[in-house]
Amino acid sequence: MGTLERKARERVSRENLILDAAEEVFFSHGFDQSTMDDVAKAAELSKGSLYNYFKNKNELCIGIVGRSLRLMIQYLEKALPENCSGLNKIHGMAKGFLLFKQENPEYYCALQNYKHHSGGCGADSKFLNLSIDENCYINGLVEKFVKEGISDGSIKKSIIPEKAANAIWGEFNGAIPGFDLNTNSAEAYEYAVELIINGLKKA
Amino acid sequence: MGTLERKARERVSRENLILDAAEEVFFSHGFDQSTMDDVAKAAELSKGSLYNYFKNKNELCIGIVGRSLRLMIQYLEKALPENCSGLNKIHGMAKGFLLFKQENPEYYCALQNYKHHSGGCGADSKFLNLSIDENCYINGLVEKFVKEGISDGSIKKSIIPEKAANAIWGEFNGAIPGFDLNTNSAEAYEYAVELIINGLKKA
DNA sequence: TATAAAACTGACTAATAGTCACTTTTTGAC
DNA sequence: GTCAAAAAGTGACTATTAGTCAGTTTTATA
């Protein structure tokens, strides 16, 4: 009997309805300014039910981080040029990331809350672990492209794929300035990417 | 009569006593778990007086960010090798940043709360603007060293100092992974720095 | 010494995260 | 169909706490 499976599907579906509501509320008023009652109202559920699906407000927030990462992965993958060098694929990912950020500022912003909320939802949180998985997936993609680049001669042989993947992904993330300097943020990012690409490129 | 000046000094001194207390409380229990009453108690003041010096909890937090940045600058400057190329100075700064992070995890952590709290204390906040100034100062340092590096031949002529400074500083910041991957964070950072340095280096 | 300004106080209010005893719905065995 | 148990849902309630404010004390100055 498929009841258990259906129940599981229905549960995930409810989780998503709640996350839809949470996004609606958080994105329009900001996380700190939004209440669980607001989310419950938007989800057409009672507050108590919210806590049946999410441990607390932090976990709700991490749930949105997970969605954000999944959307970002779509951008990264769509931006990948076909039939090109590993180095170009990494460059493509960097462009995809920027486009993701520009077209989805709220989701990008949600990502930045990751550190602030991950602590509050416990290491056993399903939503936290989903997010961590997505991040590992992205890291794995970068690593794969670094390896390709070394094979196809577009990236220096001296580069260590695993370490480079961590570094590159971290740099892409950090290269969007936290403090607003007087420069255009997209331009700053593109320049940072250029520097990284030059560091990888075979002479 | 120097009364006004003395008063101003005393005010700053009180601010610092309050920030001492806030650090004590926030660093031992975490920002979200700490209350303004805790801080008031630690500062041996009433809660009302706290609000005489800081607009709100967020501004208190940004006050700590400012201290954190000032301490970081000390690390950056101490780590600068004497009589060396611009490129090596940038490398030195990167090492200083890592040491700062390792020796002052709480201050580093406070920095990461910047984005989360800066919004909550208004653009006119004295403490926010102090933090922004410190960050600009660091950016300026990097820019200076890039220029030196171009002059002394350690950095490619094609590098644009202002843009590169933004990129490098952002990358240093971001290169410390937000998500905990399975790698050693210091090692990941050092590799990221290596990549950046290679991207700058004259062939 | 009088007055005004600045600093300080802590009881109070308003807001809200999270709980829990209870109700309703769903499920599957008979 | 019936029933008991499990799951889902409810919303009034509690406990906590950020921020306020009317009143007090201290300090500066004329």
Side-chain angles (χ1 to χ4, degrees):
Chain A
M1 68 197 59
T3 311
L4 279 175
E5 286 82 352
R6 178 174 56 75
K7 276 251 158 189
R9 270 202 315 278
E10 279 175 2
R11 194 175 170 87
V12 171
S13 164
R14 256 282 188 274
E15 284 168 3
N16 276 312
L17 280 175
I18 293 171
L19 285 175
D20 287 342
E23 279 178 12
E24 191 187 315
V25 172
F26 292 170
F27 289 175
S28 63
H29 300 104
F31 178 79
D32 282 335
Q33 280 64 51
S34 304
T35 73
M36 291 301 270
D37 280 304
D38 292 339
V39 175
K41 204 173 194 176
E44 295 176 292
L45 279 173
S46 69
K47 187 156 67 160
S49 280
L50 250 48
Y51 285 90
N52 223 322
Y53 293 92
F54 295 87
K55 244 186 264 181
N56 52 37
K57 205 178 170 189
N58 288 310
E59 199 180 29
L60 213 39
C61 201
I62 293 299
I64 297 176
V65 168
R67 285 182 158 202
S68 181
L69 284 168
R70 281 184 286 282
L71 178 62
M72 191 210 290
I73 289 172
Q74 288 179 21
Y75 272 81
L76 297 183
E77 292 182 337
K78 199 151 77 183
L80 282 184
E82 295 282 323
N83 298 76
C84 70
S85 69
L87 187 69
N88 278 334
K89 282 182 183 163
I90 290 171
H91 205 161
M93 282 185 76
K95 286 178 190 161
F97 182 50
L98 181 60
L99 193 64
F100 160 77
K101 190 220 154 179
Q102 291 176 325
E103 295 188 349
N104 308 276
E106 306 92 350
Y107 273 119
Y108 174 74
C109 189
L111 275 188
Q112 300 193 310
N113 287 326
Y114 171 76
K115 276 187 198 171
H116 199 264
H117 297 293
S118 54
C121 61
D124 62 334
S125 160
K126 159 186 153 185
F127 294 97
L128 179 58
N129 285 302
L130 270 175
S131 288
I132 291 174
D133 289 347
E134 304 293 354
N135 195 61
C136 284
Y137 173 75
I138 298 173
N139 222 60
L141 265 189
V142 181
E143 189 175 335
K144 196 180 95 187
F145 297 148
V146 173
K147 284 180 183 159
E148 277 184 39
I150 294 173
S151 294
D152 67 29
S154 59
I155 292 178
K156 295 175 192 163
K157 275 208 186 70
S158 59
I159 298 290
I160 300 162
E162 193 194 332
K163 288 183 165 196
N166 281 326
I168 293 166
W169 184 227
E171 286 165 347
F172 283 175
N173 263 300
I176 294 183
F179 283 88
D180 285 323
L181 300 166
N182 47 358
T183 48
N184 174 299
S185 134
E187 204 182 302
Y189 175 73
E190 278 160 358
Y191 199 79
V193 169
E194 210 179 304
L195 278 188
I196 297 164
I197 296 291
N198 280 335
L200 296 171
K201 202 186 289 179
K202 203 162 183 174
Chain B
M1 63 198 62
T3 310
L4 278 178
E5 287 80 352
R6 177 173 57 74
K7 277 250 159 189
R9 269 202 315 278
E10 280 176 0
R11 194 175 170 86
V12 171
S13 163
R14 257 280 190 275
E15 284 168 2
N16 276 311
L17 280 175
I18 293 172
L19 285 175
D20 287 341
E23 280 178 11
E24 191 187 315
V25 172
F26 292 171
F27 288 176
S28 63
H29 299 105
F31 179 79
D32 281 336
Q33 280 65 50
S34 303
T35 71
M36 292 300 270
D37 280 303
D38 291 339
V39 176
K41 204 173 195 178
E44 295 176 293
L45 279 173
S46 70
K47 188 155 69 161
S49 280
L50 251 49
Y51 286 89
N52 222 323
Y53 293 92
F54 295 86
K55 244 185 264 179
N56 52 38
K57 206 179 170 188
N58 288 309
E59 199 180 29
L60 212 40
C61 201
I62 293 297
I64 297 178
V65 167
R67 286 182 158 201
S68 181
L69 284 168
R70 281 185 287 284
L71 178 63
M72 191 210 291
I73 289 171
Q74 288 179 22
Y75 272 81
L76 298 182
E77 291 182 336
K78 200 151 75 181
L80 282 182
E82 294 283 323
N83 299 78
C84 69
S85 68
L87 187 68
N88 278 334
K89 282 182 184 163
I90 290 171
H91 205 161
M93 282 185 76
K95 286 178 191 160
F97 182 51
L98 181 60
L99 193 64
F100 160 77
K101 190 220 154 179
Q102 289 175 325
E103 294 188 350
N104 308 276
E106 305 92 350
Y107 274 120
Y108 174 72
C109 188
L111 275 188
Q112 300 193 309
N113 287 327
Y114 171 77
K115 276 187 197 172
H116 200 265
H117 297 295
S118 55
C121 62
D124 62 334
S125 161
K126 161 186 152 185
F127 294 96
L128 179 59
N129 286 303
L130 271 175
S131 288
I132 292 173
D133 288 348
E134 304 294 354
N135 194 60
C136 284
Y137 174 75
I138 299 173
N139 222 61
L141 266 189
V142 181
E143 188 174 337
K144 197 180 95 187
F145 296 149
V146 173
K147 283 178 183 159
E148 277 184 37
I150 294 172
S151 295
D152 66 30
S154 59
I155 292 179
K156 294 174 193 164
K157 275 208 186 70
S158 58
I159 299 289
I160 301 161
E162 192 195 333
K163 287 184 167 198
N166 281 325
I168 293 166
W169 183 226
E171 286 165 348
F172 283 175
N173 263 300
I176 293 183
F179 284 87
D180 283 324
L181 300 166
N182 47 359
T183 48
N184 175 299
S185 136
E187 203 182 302
Y189 175 73
E190 279 160 358
Y191 199 79
V193 169
E194 211 179 304
L195 278 188
I196 298 164
I197 297 291
N198 280 335
L200 297 171
K201 202 186 291 180
K202 204 162 184 174

